[in-house]
Amino acid sequence: MYRTLRRLSCFLLVLAALILPAGCGIELQYADETPGTSHTGGPPSASPSIEPSEEPSPSPSPDPSPDPSVKLVAYDGIVEHLFFHPVIAYPELAFDGDLKEKGLDSYMVTVGEYNKILESLYEKGYILVNMNDVWEEYQDEDGVLKMRRNTLMIPEGKKPLILSFDDTNYYNYMLSNGFTYKLVLKDGEIWSYGLDPQGNPVYSQDLDAITILDKFVERHPDFSLNGVKGCLCLTGYEGILGYRTMTDIKGMSAEAEMIRQMEIAAVKPIIAKLKETGWYFGSHSWGHISLSTSKLDTVKADTQRWLDEVGALIGPTKLYFYPFGARPDGDDVRQTGEIFKYLHSKGFRVFASVGIESFSKIKTDISAVICDRMHADGDTLRGQRERYLKFYDAKLVFDDARPDYGTSW
Ligand SMILES: [Zn+2]
């Protein structure tokens, strides 16, 4: 039965690869799937955005210092890790029967589902921790750099949880499919901007995974350790956070470069505000490339471009999130190949794929950690209710606005 399901899901993945455009940013292959379903071709080149940008208005940030009355206890157990893609703000646009519908159903959750998932995580005693705090690099007695697991100090009775959000770039293809368009600053806070199904501009804090979590932690400060939120895993081929900050391989006209510089200036205060309010960043490659099928030279060019265009804006990060969950060099669990070594040489230390549990392993031959994340999405809502019951009950979360593709429960 499992084999049949597995074969079926591989078939669906191949189907998704056929109908989704290259570089769409959707994960087509997870680590717990048979490798080999890859997407090919470079990302589409996009024209710079001319959407309105809000001027930043400075304001004091919430104080994330810990409550001294809370008893902290040492925690060395599993740190659960759940990841999301951008959430669907308008299901009627995502689930409209077009060619994107199946992929969006598989890899995304709706705003309604996301709200219920956050409530459930909170009720079950999870507390958000920073992925950067879970492991640290140190020098052993021989002077060799290694990674080690930190003992986390968390409030008694709580369970630590990392949240990460892939492809928070606000890709062009998402804009007509029910997603928000970009993050903006309004009244000193992060808001989303987008168009509703009637085409009216909407500024909101209730339609985007980032602003929804901000508000949730504001209402429930004990859902977060020291105000931390989640990791935003960014590609670069259509810019970041809704701002078209990328270059064009074919060259940039003076006008295009001028618009790009305006986008860069506009996104900087957004990045600063996100960092100030508990968000942090990781690389998801520049072009959403599959590391299992890319050659070393491709990875080098892609990584350098990411560092130049994204890293230069968000600052240094040790976190790398494999696009499609695709592991480099055949197998990064049992061996350390040339792509892994190259990424390590660029400062990356924690490498995350996607899997059926919050697996992690400290490598012994190189100073690095590899880990898997579980995926909160339509596929697991439909087919893996049991496995995700520790987080939420798919039966209670599932959005009726989804198309009728069936569930296993
Ligand atoms: Zn992705």
Side-chain angles (χ1 to χ4, degrees):
M1 182 60 184
Y2 176 67
R3 282 188 88 78
T4 312
L5 275 176
R6 207 179 154 100
R7 223 170 281 141
L8 178 66
S9 74
C10 283
F11 166 73
L12 290 174
L13 286 163
V14 171
L15 193 67
L18 290 173
I19 61 175
L20 292 165
C24 66
I26 292 180
E27 316 291 322
L28 297 180
Q29 175 194 308
Y30 290 139
D32 52 335
E33 300 291 348
T34 308
T37 313
S38 66
H39 96 136
T40 53
S45 61
S47 53
S49 143
I50 46 166
E51 286 138 24
S53 301
E54 290 277 308
E55 278 301 307
S57 43
S59 79
S61 63
D63 179 14
S65 49
D67 179 350
S69 67
V70 174
K71 187 186 175 199
L72 298 178
V73 295
Y75 184 90
D76 292 301
I78 288 175
V79 179
E80 296 287 357
H81 189 159
L82 205 51
F83 95 95
F84 295 86
H85 282 111
V87 297
I88 294 167
Y90 301 107
E92 63 268 48
L93 293 182
F95 306 132
D96 57 355
D98 70 7
L99 287 175
K100 297 282 191 322
E101 179 181 277
K102 182 71 189 79
L104 298 177
D105 177 79
S106 288
Y107 304 116
M108 273 66 171
V109 300
T110 67
V111 158
E113 290 169 342
Y114 182 68
N115 282 321
K116 288 177 185 167
I117 288 172
L118 291 184
E119 285 289 348
S120 177
L121 292 171
Y122 178 61
E123 279 164 22
K124 288 180 183 298
Y126 286 103
I127 185 167
L128 303 181
V129 298
N130 190 322
M131 190 172 175
N132 289 299
D133 294 341
V134 179
W135 299 276
E136 71 172 352
E137 192 169 45
Y138 73 103
Q139 221 168 23
D140 73 5
E141 56 272 22
D142 301 322
V144 178
L145 288 174
K146 289 185 172 167
M147 294 296 282
R148 69 178 161 210
R149 169 67 195 273
N150 287 326
T151 295
L152 295 176
M153 296 303 292
I154 60 169
E156 197 166 24
K158 292 279 190 184
K159 296 175 279 190
L161 173 69
I162 298 164
L163 289 185
S164 51
F165 297 82
D166 285 15
D167 300 290
T168 41
N169 298 80
Y170 302 77
Y171 298 130
N172 287 332
Y173 89 94
M174 287 185 172
L175 307 188
S176 57
N177 278 286
F179 295 84
T180 54
Y181 282 39
K182 68 197 308 184
L183 298 177
V184 296
L185 273 172
K186 198 167 143 62
D187 307 325
E189 292 184 355
I190 300 280
W191 290 61
S192 69
Y193 165 81
L195 299 181
D196 71 10
Q198 289 72 44
N200 306 306
V202 177
Y203 291 92
S204 174
Q205 292 183 308
D206 303 316
L207 293 174
D208 190 286
I210 293 168
T211 56
I212 289 172
L213 184 58
D214 280 340
K215 284 181 74 178
F216 191 87
V217 171
E218 210 175 290
R219 287 199 303 279
H220 306 288
D222 58 334
F223 185 50
S224 163
L225 189 64
N226 304 332
V228 77
K229 306 283 175 46
C231 185
L232 303 179
C233 314
L234 299 173
T235 62
Y237 68 88
E238 286 188 346
I240 61 170
L241 307 169
Y243 295 81
R244 302 309 183 217
T245 53
M246 67 288 179
T247 56
D248 190 328
I249 301 175
K250 296 188 216 95
M252 300 283 285
S253 68
E255 190 194 354
E257 181 57 26
M258 192 187 76
I259 295 172
R260 187 175 92 88
Q261 290 304 327
M262 286 166 66
E263 294 282 287
I264 288 173
V267 80
K268 282 182 176 174
I270 309 285
I271 294 166
K273 191 72 192 176
L274 288 168
K275 285 184 175 179
E276 192 185 311
T277 51
W279 297 91
Y280 53 102
F281 298 91
S283 175
H284 195 41
S285 83
W286 185 88
H288 209 276
I289 59 170
S290 167
L291 295 192
S292 68
T293 54
S294 296
K295 295 213 173 346
L296 177 61
D297 282 348
T298 306
V299 176
K300 282 184 176 177
D302 177 275
T303 306
Q304 196 52 55
R305 204 161 178 203
W306 187 91
L307 291 168
D308 292 345
E309 294 183 14
V310 182
L313 293 173
I314 55 116
T317 178
K318 295 178 295 186
L319 310 174
Y320 196 102
F321 298 82
Y322 298 142
F324 313 106
R327 301 178 177 285
D329 311 308
D331 175 5
D332 67 347
V333 181
R334 280 169 284 268
Q335 66 181 39
T336 301
E338 55 181 8
I339 289 177
F340 195 97
K341 284 179 186 159
Y342 168 75
L343 291 171
H344 185 270
S345 77
K346 291 291 165 183
F348 297 106
R349 293 292 179 272
V350 183
F351 298 80
S353 183
V354 179
I356 55 171
E357 60 183 358
S358 301
F359 155 88
S360 70
K361 179 188 170 185
I362 296 174
K363 285 174 82 77
T364 50
D365 59 336
I366 191 168
S367 169
V369 176
I370 46 175
C371 55
D372 276 356
R373 307 171 288 159
M374 295 178 70
H375 42 121
D377 58 22
D379 276 350
T380 54
L381 280 174
R382 288 181 188 279
Q384 296 189 38
R385 174 173 172 257
E386 290 289 322
R387 195 185 294 285
Y388 283 75
L389 278 176
K390 60 184 166 187
F391 300 126
Y392 51 82
D393 185 343
K395 269 190 194 177
L396 305 177
V397 165
F398 196 84
D399 196 324
D400 291 338
R402 283 186 181 273
D404 187 17
Y405 296 149
T407 68
S408 66
W409 35 268

